[in-house]
Amino acid sequence: MGPPNAFALLPWLLLGMGAVSNVIKGETPNPWIGGLGLLVFNSLYITLVFRAFDPKARAAAGTRWCLVALCALTCVLALAYGGNWLLFFPLCGLATGAVVRGRRLAPAMFVVTALAGVISGRQEGWDTLGIVYGTFLSGMVTATILALSETVKQLRDTRQELARAAVDQERLRFSRDLHDLLGHTLSVIVVKSEAARRIAPRDMGAALDQVRDIESVGRQALTEIREAVTGYREASLAAELDRARGALTAAGIEPVVRQSGPPLPPQTAALLGWVVREAATNAIRHSGAATCEIELRSSAERAVLVITDDGSGVGSTPPGSGLTGLGERLALAGGTLGSGPAPGRGFRVTAELPLEPTGGDEDGVGR
């Protein structure tokens, strides 16, 4: 069964078959007036139930006026004929429950039910309490079912939207991972290739050592890409520091690494490993530095990583996508990332992280 629709409310018009029978058999005074009233009532009812399932049409002023006209016509027919014609009050209640939503439903149903009680009591006495109960129940049950149906639809739409957002987030994470992985690896390969080309005429053995390093870096890059694709890769701070030392040395930059403080939690170490990789790659590509200092300080609450080179600096240019992505990733973990010219000369990258990250997926979300 699908969600409720206007056609599900049409069979309730059969409640008026008694009045139709009275008109056909001539048991109703002025049958032409009664027949015209039936035609107008059915037309208004059908119009309302179809407009009730269109949010824009339901909120339109014309719909409210149609509902007022239906209620007025119901009262006129009930007062004029009584008997079977009182069964139009439950239909009026049903239309009210289909059209009116939210806080206005209770006052509207109170008015319709009160009219049903007063008029049916005047016409038939206490025997018509079922009309009053049916009017109230038909309106409230209809409104409840339709509200639940709309809520379920909204939840389904929200779930689909969240699924699309999760896919987009994963694509963004994967693209940033590939940027960080390939940017660093390709920079190392380029630097070692240039070194092999320069020293080959003088020392073929040293050149072959550089070529072997290029092969090792390429194999390592393939492994890392496979791990990134399957979602299992976690940057190791110790491994990234070792790679940074080797890459900086191959580029002719002297690495200086200093560490102090207690060991870091795995999540914090993994995030700082990405910072080391990106900062070392930028130093190799852009700085033209002679020295690159990597200092890691940790305490009971926070860890601070400062990477400074003495090159030309890139503070006058906007930060690249790598530093931007790292800043977003650290922000999700409750940390900060700053970059800019170092005092005197060079460029500095500073990352701060709490030892217990405050939120997010520290090794995945927002990459």
Side-chain angles (χ1 to χ4, degrees):
M1 295 178 63
N5 53 52
F7 292 100
L9 302 182
L10 295 183
W12 292 101
L13 285 172
L14 294 175
L15 286 173
M17 288 303 295
V20 174
S21 175
N22 291 344
V23 171
I24 294 175
K25 293 179 179 180
E27 299 174 356
T28 300
N30 301 315
W32 290 105
I33 296 177
L36 180 61
L38 284 173
L39 178 62
V40 175
F41 181 92
N42 290 339
S43 300
L44 288 172
Y45 177 87
I46 293 172
T47 299
L48 285 170
V49 296
F50 274 98
R51 293 175 72 88
F53 290 89
D54 184 344
K56 292 183 179 179
R58 185 174 65 237
T63 303
R64 294 194 293 271
W65 283 113
C66 283
L67 182 60
V68 172
L70 182 73
C71 292
L73 181 59
T74 303
C75 294
V76 170
L77 293 175
L79 284 171
Y81 300 118
N84 291 328
W85 298 78
L86 296 174
L87 292 175
F88 287 118
F89 274 113
L91 288 174
C92 182
L94 191 151
T96 303
V99 171
V100 182
R101 305 291 171 85
R103 295 180 178 178
R104 294 179 296 177
L105 176 63
M109 285 305 305
F110 175 80
V111 171
V112 173
T113 305
L115 288 173
V118 172
I119 295 175
S120 61
R122 180 179 180 275
Q123 295 292 93
E124 304 292 338
W126 291 101
D127 293 338
T128 57
L129 286 178
I131 299 295
V132 179
Y133 178 73
T135 301
F136 176 79
L137 192 64
S138 63
M140 297 306 293
V141 169
T142 300
T144 301
I145 291 175
L146 296 183
L148 287 175
S149 176
E150 290 180 355
T151 302
V152 170
K153 183 179 182 300
Q154 292 173 359
L155 289 174
R156 288 175 178 171
D157 293 342
T158 302
R159 183 175 62 183
Q160 292 177 356
E161 185 62 29
L162 289 175
R164 285 192 293 267
V167 171
D168 293 341
Q169 190 73 9
E170 182 62 15
R171 287 174 178 169
L172 181 60
R173 180 201 69 80
F174 184 67
S175 65
R176 287 175 175 170
D177 268 5
L178 286 184
H179 171 273
D180 293 343
L181 289 170
L182 295 180
H184 174 80
T185 301
L186 293 177
S187 296
V188 173
I189 289 175
V190 169
V191 169
K192 287 187 173 291
S193 298
E194 291 176 349
R197 176 177 54 81
R198 289 196 304 269
I199 65 177
R202 304 190 307 271
D203 189 344
M204 184 58 68
L208 290 176
D209 289 339
Q210 294 294 332
V211 172
R212 281 191 288 269
D213 288 344
I214 293 172
E215 179 183 4
S216 176
V217 170
R219 293 184 183 277
Q220 181 64 30
L222 288 174
T223 301
E224 291 176 347
I225 291 174
R226 292 190 187 102
E227 292 174 349
V229 169
T230 54
Y232 292 125
R233 186 179 189 278
E234 181 177 284
S236 167
L237 179 58
E240 294 300 340
L241 287 173
D242 290 339
R243 292 192 186 115
R245 286 191 187 97
L248 291 169
T249 300
I253 302 174
E254 180 184 358
V256 178
V257 179
R258 292 189 289 268
Q259 293 180 261
S260 61
L264 301 178
Q267 297 89 346
T268 303
L271 281 173
L272 294 180
W274 287 106
V275 177
V276 170
R277 172 183 282 260
E278 182 64 26
T281 301
N282 288 340
I284 293 170
R285 286 179 174 176
H286 309 298
S287 69
T291 303
C292 180
E293 297 183 1
I294 303 174
E295 182 179 4
L296 175 62
R297 304 186 302 270
S298 60
S299 63
E301 293 83 17
R302 299 187 69 81
V304 180
L305 175 66
V306 181
I307 302 174
T308 308
D309 64 64
D310 59 357
S312 58
V314 292
S316 61
T317 63
S321 60
L323 289 177
T324 301
L326 283 173
E328 295 173 356
R329 198 182 309 179
L330 265 67
L332 287 172
T336 59
L337 179 70
S339 61
R345 176 180 171 82
F347 191 75
R348 173 172 292 171
V349 175
T350 303
E352 295 188 31
L353 274 173
L355 291 188
E356 293 183 3
T358 58
D361 181 0
E362 297 81 8
D363 191 30
V365 177
R367 292 185 184 176

